[in-house]
Amino acid sequence: MALSKTMSDALNKQFNEELNSAYLYESMAADFYAKNLPGFAAWMTLQAGEERIHSEKFHRYLDENGERVFYAAIPEPQAEWKSPVDAIKAALAHEKYITKRIHDLVRLARKDDDIATETFLGWYVTEQIEEESTAQSLIDKLEMVGDNKVGLYQLDKEVSTRQQDA
Ligand code: FEO
């Protein structure tokens, strides 16, 4: 079954949103590097890599359905955050925005009676639960550490061990 034009456009938009997410997280990584938090920087660099994988999956799905992707302009991301917890809170807010977009895509697939696309999107629905939960647990740890510099140093070491999981 061919994708509807609305669905093809919406998937293209999400392909670009995932690239935008990667750009945002690379910017957060740059801020963490600048603030001598290499563990958080490495964590964010990995996160950006995952976002590129998310965008590639949309790319492949559009290709497989005889559609093509179009690259849109990516807005300049914020360059600096007041504190690590502020940055991760911004990441969580961004993930919630992406979750809403994915759910809107599922609603569109249902409206089109497009079972294949709804099934394809199921991976993203599950992934978003993990994305939000990971960001929330980092926020919890950062809030526990508070202004304790030794605690932040330890946490930075801990998050540096993150492995690619997408
Ligand atoms: Fe592509 Fe972080 O969701």
Side-chain angles (χ1 to χ4, degrees), residues 18 47 51 54 95 98 128 131:
E18 300 291 345
Q47 186 59 36
E51 299 304 347
H54 297 175
E95 289 303 330
I98 295 294
Q128 283 310 118
E131 295 276 79

Side-chain angles (χ1 to χ4, degrees), residues 102-134:
I102 297 290
H103 291 185
D104 285 347
L105 284 170
V106 171
R107 285 185 198 100
L108 181 60
R110 287 182 181 166
K111 190 165 148 278
D112 282 356
D113 194 24
D114 183 347
I115 295 166
T117 302
E118 185 179 345
T119 304
F120 164 72
L121 290 167
W123 183 87
Y124 289 89
V125 172
T126 309
E127 175 71 3
Q128 283 310 118
I129 295 170
E130 192 190 312
E131 295 276 79
E132 288 189 25
S133 148
T134 310

Side-chain angles (χ1 to χ4, degrees), residues 21 52 65-66 141 166:
S21 302
R52 280 189 288 274
N65 281 278
K141 285 178 182 172

